[in-house]
Amino acid sequence: TFDWTHDTVTPTVTITVPGIAGGGAYFDGTTYWFGPTSYNGGTSPGYLLANFQFSEPVTSLDSGDFDLTGNVSGGTLTTVGVTGISSTHYEVLFDFSASIGGNCTINIKAAACQDLAGNNNAVPSPFPLNYDKNQPAANVAVATPTNAYSFTVDLSGASENGSGLGAMTFSTDNGTTWTQSDGSTAGWETFSSNPTYTLPSNLQSDGSHTIKVKVRDNVENESPVDSATVVVDTQAPTMTITSSTVTSGSTTSDASIALTFTASEATGTF
């Protein structure tokens, strides 16, 4: 007998990016974002590892077989290396470390490899990436004075041009320690534009308090420190009543008398 296989099927490829380590990564439903502290390949941030999974065995690939396109400004996006895990699975390491950020895509070139019958690979839809190195801004404000040790911190003016705002943290000891909005739990918490902040127990006293705030985007770019001052006043004002026409406790036949009301501090209403 004489047997052979007639194969005209184009090998297809699926591109995936495995989990990020050493920093933040974020998928917004369309684009995969990563930042300066993100990496899932190599030994330092700025490197991104992608998987190219083929539908059937193909010939080997090298670093020149990939298309890198888009607006990655300020530097060069390069292919560092290609590792054949199997005849259907290749890992490709890309270097973004020279870039100042931007959007881009990674893909495989047409006819970069062939299956055992010599059919060229198909070209899938480009895999979208966005390298975000933009520093956010906190722009904090607090309504003052307040009559409570818990109050609203206004972060509605916080800004970020990239992956979006993801976290916030607070300090009331000039940046020595940073806590969540409860004033006691250390570290960062999910960003909110109008969080309720509670002064730490050792600072729950009347007077002026400075709140320092930092925000962080979804790929862990951190803002400069911003601050606002709040005056806490929990003491109710007292009122003294006097009269120029009658003394307190006396009896008078006057149809009207003059009364003077003196508050112990400035009041908003009377």
Side-chain angles (χ1 to χ4, degrees), residues 34-36 96-102 131-135 217 219 221:
F34 66 109
F96 288 81
S97 60
S99 171
I100 63 170
Y131 188 33
D132 178 8
K133 295 182 73 173
N134 298 316
Q135 190 176 40
D217 66 18
V219 294
N221 292 306

Side-chain angles (χ1 to χ4, degrees), residues 5 14-15 33 55 66-67 78 86 96 98 105 116 127 132 145 153 167 173 179 204 212 215 234 254 258:
T5 300
T14 301
I15 307 171
W33 295 83
S55 59
F66 301 92
D67 274 330
T78 58
S86 70
F96 288 81
T105 62
L116 299 180
F127 192 93
D132 178 8
V153 174
D173 58 5
T179 70
Q204 291 186 2
K212 292 184 180 292
V215 297
T234 62
D254 293 342

Side-chain angles (χ1 to χ4, degrees), residues 2-3 26 71 97 162-163 176 213 232 257:
F2 185 82
D3 298 320
Y26 176 67
N71 181 31
S97 60
S163 57
T176 301
V213 181
V232 177
I257 60 174

Side-chain angles (χ1 to χ4, degrees), residues 218-261:
N218 282 306
V219 294
E220 299 189 353
N221 292 306
E222 193 173 297
S223 75
V225 175
D226 196 18
S227 63
T229 299
V230 60
V231 175
V232 177
D233 178 6
T234 62
Q235 301 301 312
T238 59
M239 188 72 71
T240 301
I241 307 172
T242 57
S243 174
S244 60
T245 57
V246 66
T247 58
S248 178
S250 64
T251 302
T252 181
S253 60
D254 293 342
S256 62
I257 60 174
L259 296 176
T260 300
F261 294 83

Side-chain angles (χ1 to χ4, degrees), residues 82-266:
V82 180
T83 302
I85 305 302
S86 70
S87 60
T88 60
H89 179 197
Y90 289 84
E91 287 184 346
V92 185
L93 187 63
F94 299 98
D95 180 6
F96 288 81
S97 60
S99 171
I100 63 170
N103 53 57
C104 61
T105 62
I106 57 176
N107 208 345
I108 189 170
K109 293 179 179 179
C113 60
Q114 295 77 37
D115 64 12
L116 299 180
N119 297 302
N120 290 324
N121 63 276
V123 178
S125 297
F127 192 93
L129 294 168
N130 206 315
Y131 188 33
D132 178 8
K133 295 182 73 173
N134 298 316
Q135 190 176 40
N139 298 324
V140 61
V142 179
T144 189
T146 180
N147 63 357
Y149 300 133
S150 295
F151 44 86
T152 298
V153 174
D154 184 3
L155 291 175
S156 60
S159 61
E160 205 283 321
N161 182 25
S163 57
L165 292 166
M168 59 187 181
T169 189
F170 305 84
S171 177
T172 49
D173 58 5
N174 201 33
T176 301
T177 57
W178 292 90
T179 70
Q180 298 182 14
S181 56
D182 62 6
S184 59
T185 304
W188 297 80
E189 65 183 309
T190 302
F191 176 80
S192 170
S193 60
N194 288 285
T196 298
Y197 180 77
T198 300
L199 286 170
S201 57
N202 64 313
L203 292 179
Q204 291 186 2
S205 59
D206 286 11
S208 179
H209 300 275
T210 298
I211 314 298
K212 292 184 180 292
V213 181
K214 293 187 292 185
V215 297
R216 194 168 65 187
D217 66 18
N218 282 306
V219 294
E220 299 189 353
N221 292 306
E222 193 173 297
S223 75
V225 175
D226 196 18
S227 63
T229 299
V230 60
V231 175
V232 177
D233 178 6
T234 62
Q235 301 301 312
T238 59
M239 188 72 71
T240 301
I241 307 172
T242 57
S243 174
S244 60
T245 57
V246 66
T247 58
S248 178
S250 64
T251 302
T252 181
S253 60
D254 293 342
S256 62
I257 60 174
L259 296 176
T260 300
F261 294 83
T262 306
S264 58
E265 59 182 301

